[in-house]
Amino acid sequence: MILVPSLADIEKSSRSEAERRVARLLQGVDAGPDAVAFYSVGLRSHAYKQQAEADFVILWRGTVVIVEVKGGGVRRHDGTWYSVDRRGDWHKLATSPMEQARSAAYALRDILKEQGVEWYGHEAVVVTPDIDAPPSSVDWKPTHWLARAEMTAAALTFALDAVVAGARQAPMGQKVARMDELRAQLFGEFTRMPVIDAQRGAVIEEQNRATAGQARVLAALARNKRVLVYGGAGTGKSLVLVEAAKQEAEQGSSVLVTFRSPALAQYFAPHLIDRAVDVIPFGDLDGIGRYDVVLVDEAQDMMTADAMDRLDAVIAGGRASGRWRMFLDPNNQAHVDGVYDDEVADLITDEAITVDLSLNVRNTRAIVHVVQEYLGADVGDPGVVHGERVQWHVTMDSVSVTDGLKVAAELVADGVRCTDIWVIDPRSVEAPTTFSSAVVTSPRFAKGLEAEHVIVCGLPEALDAAGTAAFYVAVTRARVSLHVVLSKNDKRELQQFVRQRMTNK
């Protein structure tokens, strides 16, 4: 069964050994791609949803099963419920475990109803993995209290089937939620994309929430063998890829993540460390064998017949029949590094379903508007946060990296960490170099990555297809602030480019 978040994340975040045990069991349950168990640590992280405190929400054969897990023992004495810890001490509970599960079920129903989800069947269940089930009660169905005897994958599968067998039916005339929509909505409620550095402030926190579009794509990836994911810079393609790779690995599949730019390894490594996922640059794929699932980032860089043949050799069952996901931005980033063959792209499109990421979750609104106005590029709907306006710096003479480093030094003086600042030269193809105030890099090595603060130094040599793509990559790397340093000649050239683009519309 798919776990959200992954089992490894649950193991790290949960303080309850009983919850971790249940998560391990759920992962071992084989119920097809439609079954998903959502661990509610993600739900509880939403300040406005504090009332929903179930431990697991399981989408099982078209029914939502709310699970309350109680480790140790539970007792009812004189009508009051108590938990019993391993030392034998009793602790009074505000309500019964079953009432906790029911309350969470109703709270989740209200949350989803507010978001337009129609009626769906739900059941409340208590799991006590350390003890036998308590005596039968009129307060609950015997099938809805799972105890020590059900703590195997096979027994848990049978028990969940029994729970949903008697699930309530929709009232007469009530519209029922479509399962794919309900599933995608639950992904959105419970998924948060991982953050390596937690000290980033409100802007970064907001950008790392799983958007509805990302949740929809995650749901589609779990259900389909071959998927093309389209999205402009900043729409969260790499974040979704990471979560998809985790989910595939949790199912016991051998998983490969590959990409053309070696610089992307520094992004994927921290997210997938200690996971059963191989992260290998595309140039190193020869002789590595086959994988059950292959995920390709920045696939527009390798849209050639030779590259597709190489991928065919590492996908179990081959590219036409195997399981793969390709993430790409063919309209704006196809000329920075690598080759994009339209005929090959058409062939690959015929082999897969396509989904789109349409909300920009990296760039602030100000950055999105600059990209759309000056380059006419599609980077999704305007950013999720306002942020500060784009800063333009105009020099009399031609622009050099030194000009960018001067701006970086001012940011450091204002308290920004030098490791959070990139100076990007759109004319360069060189690998990153670290200076005292910033990292200096090129669009080729920045593509697919991001920095909190970006300083773009000048224009490319020419604003042709390759130059425009390089400038596009440079200005879309920023998460918090963007500074653009131009000479007076650069400014005139950019203005002329914009006028010409508008005339040709």
Side-chain angles (χ1 to χ4, degrees):
M1 183 186 297
I2 296 171
L3 292 181
V4 179
S6 66
L7 178 60
D9 289 335
I10 295 174
E11 297 271 17
K12 292 177 183 178
S13 62
S14 176
R15 292 176 292 179
S16 166
E17 174 57 27
E19 292 173 8
R20 292 193 290 268
R21 286 174 57 196
V22 171
R24 295 179 202 123
L25 283 174
L26 288 170
Q27 181 176 270
V29 169
D30 184 10
D34 288 333
V36 188
F38 301 90
Y39 183 58
S40 67
V41 66
L43 185 64
R44 286 196 292 263
S45 69
H46 292 281
Y48 57 95
K49 299 173 185 173
Q50 296 287 334
Q51 73 274 29
E53 297 179 350
D55 296 310
F56 291 90
V57 175
I58 304 174
L59 187 57
W60 185 266
R61 308 200 195 286
T63 300
V64 176
V65 180
I66 312 298
V67 179
E68 176 68 25
V69 179
K70 290 296 183 188
V74 291
R75 297 284 189 276
R76 182 167 59 179
H77 179 70
D78 289 341
T80 301
W81 283 88
Y82 299 85
S83 65
V84 184
D85 62 28
R86 57 188 174 186
R87 295 187 299 272
D89 295 332
W90 289 36
H91 305 276
K92 185 177 179 180
L93 299 175
T95 61
S96 73
M98 189 61 72
E99 183 56 33
Q100 284 182 266
R102 289 187 185 123
S103 296
Y106 291 128
L108 180 60
R109 182 197 62 185
D110 291 342
I111 291 168
L112 296 179
K113 185 176 180 181
E114 289 175 3
Q115 298 180 6
V117 175
E118 302 291 347
W119 186 96
Y120 61 88
H122 62 83
E123 297 292 323
V125 168
V126 173
V127 176
T128 50
D130 302 315
I131 62 172
D132 295 329
S136 298
S137 170
V138 296
D139 293 340
W140 65 83
K141 299 177 182 178
T143 53
H144 287 48
W145 194 300
L146 313 185
R148 184 159 45 191
E150 285 78 29
M151 292 303 102
T152 67
L156 189 57
T157 302
F158 182 82
L160 288 172
D161 281 341
V163 168
V164 303
R168 69 203 74 187
Q169 300 299 309
M172 186 68 67
Q174 179 71 55
K175 187 175 180 181
V176 179
R178 285 173 44 192
M179 283 302 104
D180 57 344
E181 293 178 353
L182 177 59
R183 193 171 187 272
Q185 194 68 47
L186 288 171
F187 265 95
E189 290 301 323
F190 285 87
T191 306
R192 270 181 184 267
M193 300 303 175
V195 183
I196 299 302
D197 179 3
Q199 305 300 320
R200 294 189 175 193
V203 170
I204 303 300
E205 169 65 15
E206 194 67 26
Q207 289 169 336
N208 277 283
R209 293 180 187 274
T211 68
Q214 290 169 338
R216 174 177 50 79
V217 170
L218 281 169
L221 292 176
R223 294 170 62 92
N224 297 279
K225 293 185 69 173
R226 293 172 294 282
V227 186
L228 285 168
V229 181
Y230 292 97
T235 53
K237 297 187 298 297
S238 297
L239 288 171
V240 173
L241 187 153
V242 165
E243 290 302 305
K246 290 180 183 178
Q247 291 176 6
E248 296 288 354
E250 295 286 359
Q251 302 306 303
S253 300
S254 57
V255 181
L256 168 69
V257 172
T258 190
F259 37 83
R260 192 173 188 276
S261 172
L264 281 172
Q266 72 187 55
Y267 171 81
F268 289 116
H271 291 79
L272 296 171
I273 192 170
D274 298 329
R275 307 299 178 104
V277 176
D278 288 345
V279 178
I280 304 175
F282 184 73
D284 299 333
L285 293 186
D286 288 342
I288 64 169
R290 291 182 178 266
Y291 289 81
D292 297 328
V293 187
V294 175
L295 300 98
V296 184
D297 200 22
E298 302 290 345
Q300 75 275 355
D301 294 345
M302 52 195 81
M303 199 59 68
T304 66
D306 289 343
M308 290 301 112
D309 287 345
R310 182 178 292 188
L311 286 175
D312 184 76
V314 299
I315 302 170
R319 198 191 64 245
S321 302
R323 189 174 181 86
W324 53 259
R325 293 88 176 76
M326 297 189 194
F327 297 75
L328 65 162
D329 178 10
N331 296 322
N332 303 304
Q333 299 187 71
H335 303 285
V336 177
D337 190 25
V339 179
Y340 186 88
D341 186 319
D342 289 318
E343 292 184 359
V344 173
D346 290 341
L347 174 66
I348 300 304
T349 302
D350 290 339
E351 298 175 347
I353 71 158
T354 60
V355 292
D356 296 287
L357 285 165
S358 57
L359 178 65
N360 189 296
V361 294
R362 174 196 296 150
N363 309 128
T364 63
R365 290 181 183 274
I367 296 172
V368 170
H369 286 311
V370 163
V371 175
Q372 291 173 339
E373 178 181 353
Y374 284 84
L375 300 179
D378 180 12
V379 286
D381 294 336
V384 294
V385 291
H386 289 284
E388 62 180 79
R389 64 187 179 88
V390 175
Q391 302 291 319
W392 298 86
H393 308 263
V394 180
T395 66
M396 296 296 295
D397 302 319
S398 60
V399 179
S400 69
V401 167
T402 301
D403 296 303
L405 290 172
K406 290 179 181 177
V407 178
E410 294 173 1
L411 292 175
V412 171
D414 288 337
V416 177
R417 294 180 300 184
C418 60
T419 53
D420 292 334
I421 307 171
W422 283 2
V423 174
I424 303 180
D425 182 354
R427 297 155 294 191
S428 172
V429 294
E430 298 300 319
T433 303
T434 302
F435 288 79
S436 59
S437 59
V439 174
V440 175
T441 188
S442 64
R444 179 184 179 189
F445 285 87
K447 188 161 62 65
L449 303 175
E450 58 192 25
E452 292 189 17
H453 307 273
V454 170
I455 303 160
V456 179
C457 291
L459 295 180
E461 295 294 344
L463 284 171
D464 53 11
T468 302
F471 192 63
Y472 167 87
V473 168
V475 298
T476 55
R477 299 306 96 192
R479 299 193 69 178
V480 177
S481 73
L482 172 64
H483 297 253
V484 182
V485 185
L486 299 177
S487 67
K488 284 195 171 183
N489 286 337
D490 288 336
K491 185 178 179 181
R492 282 194 295 269
E493 183 179 352
L494 184 58
Q495 290 171 338
Q496 182 179 354
F497 173 80
V498 173
R499 285 195 296 268
Q500 184 176 351
R501 183 181 63 80
M502 298 300 292
T503 301
N504 295 334
K505 270 192 172 181

